Amino acid sequence: MSAPFSQRFKEARMLNGFSLQDLANKLHAEQISISKQALHKYEKGEAIPDTQMLLQLSRVLGVRLDFFFQRHTVELSTPEYRKLSKLPVKEQERITAITRFAVSRYLELESLLDLNTPFINPLANFPEINELAEVEVAANHVRTQWNWGTGPLYNVLELLEDQHVKMILLQSEDSFDGMKAWVNDQQIAVIALNSVRLNSPDRLRFTALHELGHLLLPINHLPEKERERMCNRFAAAMLLPESTAKMEFGAKRNRLHLQELADLKKQYGISMQALAFRANDLGIITDSYLKQFIFMFYQHGWRQTEPAPYTGEEKATRFNQLLMRALAEEIISIDKAAVLNNQSLLAFRKQLQMVE
């Protein structure tokens, strides 16, 4: 028991963003007397807690008792965080642990349903990218390969799930927007998004496609700052292809109208600021006009909250759909469904009653 328990105990600690000392302090606050050194022995597999301590650890760490005995099978390779430089190491570890746990449950559910959904990279044979113009070509290629056309994209998160990208929504208060990672030797693509910071659907869409750029584009040879620039361009091109942008804006413009940008935002799900930058990227408006426009925009206090919202839906629902399928077909019990959904049986039953 010691090897899997030690791994899962560490995973539970990281899921909470605790150091060993944090956990010892939390346990002491709950009138549970145990030292940091004793917890360290649990984590190293040098000691095993008794049943009473297991129950207490389960409660304080907020995991089911059986969590400690599930074998850990998922490793994330090359995780890459947006805004990594500002993200504390402990929070990086917590986000990685949450993502790994969510993906492991996702893969277990697919296995129970006998589903094999490897991710096929549409840019697998694409040459190295060094210029922004090449990003435009890559984005058009992805849209073509995935039959997305050149019009507005509705529910980008669901569209990415249809292409077998595992979409994970989590909560972090720190300077973190999203991350990408691979599982099982690049057969499974993962994108995790911070729903606290990305509190509008247009921000969720843009960041999801930015992270997709990190997954797909052959740009690892470039410096980090240039990779970020390339992925921002990729996200914008995926949301508003060049041909569509020039159809909507025209080839050349002297100025843009706020209502025009508001209408395009509502139609294409791309922020008004990103639309202005997109027009500049494509040579539709000049650098000087873009600078003037952004200055005016910020003066009005619209940097974080724009004057026109995008009201489209952005939801990742595939995991829940598969869970309900497995439950309906009696492939899994309601108790197992609760485990896969990381809930207590009581909480899961209440959730089901809300839709019955």
Side-chain angles (χ1 to χ4, degrees), residues 64-184:
R64 293 171 57 109
L65 190 60
D66 56 10
F67 175 92
F68 294 119
F69 310 105
Q70 298 166 357
R71 291 202 169 269
H72 179 69
T73 57
V74 170
E75 288 295 339
L76 303 183
S77 62
T78 61
E80 190 171 341
Y81 300 81
R82 198 171 182 197
K83 299 186 184 294
L84 175 61
S85 60
K86 300 179 183 178
L87 193 63
V89 172
K90 195 158 59 173
E91 184 63 7
Q92 290 179 42
E93 291 177 344
R94 189 182 77 88
I95 291 165
T96 300
I98 291 172
T99 304
R100 189 163 52 219
F101 183 39
V103 173
S104 68
R105 291 183 284 114
Y106 207 137
L107 296 182
E108 182 180 357
L109 178 57
E110 286 189 331
S111 177
L112 289 166
L113 288 165
D114 198 26
L115 297 176
N116 182 27
T117 57
F119 176 75
I120 299 173
N121 184 349
L123 299 180
N125 299 315
F126 216 75
E128 278 191 351
I129 287 177
N130 295 289
E131 303 290 338
L132 288 169
E134 296 167 341
V135 175
E136 297 282 343
V137 175
N140 287 337
H141 183 77
V142 172
R143 271 204 175 232
T144 300
Q145 290 296 303
W146 287 352
N147 297 313
W148 284 6
T150 58
L153 299 178
Y154 300 103
N155 199 345
V156 165
L157 303 191
E158 188 173 78
L159 288 172
L160 291 175
E161 286 189 312
D162 289 343
Q163 298 301 326
H164 309 309
V165 179
K166 301 293 185 282
M167 302 299 302
I168 310 297
L169 294 179
L170 49 82
Q171 296 183 334
S172 171
E173 298 294 340
D174 291 278
S175 299
F176 158 72
D177 287 346
M179 67 165 282
K180 66 86 179 172
W182 292 100
V183 175
N184 295 355

Side-chain angles (χ1 to χ4, degrees), residues 28 60 109 114 287:
H28 288 166
V60 169
L109 178 57
D114 198 26
D287 293 346

Side-chain angles (χ1 to χ4, degrees), residues 187-355:
Q187 291 188 39
I188 298 166
V190 179
I191 292 176
L193 302 172
N194 181 6
S195 59
V196 174
R197 281 180 59 85
L198 305 174
N199 53 8
S200 64
D202 52 293
R203 292 188 69 190
L204 269 175
R205 290 157 63 82
F206 192 93
T207 303
L209 292 170
H210 175 100
E211 297 304 326
L212 181 69
H214 280 294
L215 282 169
L216 302 187
L217 296 174
I219 54 175
N220 288 338
H221 60 291
L222 297 174
E224 181 183 356
K225 187 174 181 180
E226 190 64 16
R227 293 201 305 272
E228 288 298 308
R229 187 170 170 233
M230 294 283 188
C231 290
N232 280 335
R233 184 68 168 261
F234 178 81
M238 290 294 290
L239 288 170
L240 190 67
E242 181 175 0
S243 60
T244 306
K246 289 184 175 178
M247 177 188 72
E248 296 288 2
F249 285 120
K252 287 287 182 182
R253 295 285 296 276
N254 294 316
R255 58 186 60 85
L256 303 173
H257 197 286
L258 282 175
Q259 186 59 54
E260 173 187 20
L261 294 177
D263 290 343
L264 288 173
K265 176 179 179 177
K266 292 174 184 177
Q267 184 177 1
Y268 290 94
I270 180 170
S271 74
M272 296 169 72
Q273 295 166 81
L275 282 164
F277 278 104
R278 183 71 175 140
N280 176 251
D281 286 341
L282 299 175
I284 296 170
I285 60 174
T286 64
D287 293 346
S288 60
Y289 178 72
L290 174 67
K291 186 176 180 180
Q292 175 188 335
F293 176 86
I294 294 298
F295 180 76
M296 175 275 296
F297 212 78
Y298 290 1
Q299 267 197 324
H300 282 82
W302 292 334
R303 183 172 186 175
Q304 296 297 327
T305 304
E306 296 190 339
Y310 173 65
T311 57
E313 226 179 28
E314 283 297 332
K315 291 185 177 180
T317 59
R318 184 172 180 270
F319 177 85
N320 193 60
Q321 290 170 349
L322 293 181
L323 189 67
M324 293 304 104
R325 184 206 298 188
L327 193 57
E329 294 294 323
E330 299 183 347
I331 295 170
I332 58 174
S333 66
I334 190 169
D335 188 67
K336 180 62 176 179
V339 171
L340 289 168
N341 214 37
N342 194 31
Q343 289 180 293
S344 68
L345 182 57
L346 179 61
F348 186 69
R349 284 186 183 278
K350 284 183 177 179
Q351 179 179 306
L352 289 180
Q353 289 170 0
M354 290 175 65
V355 294

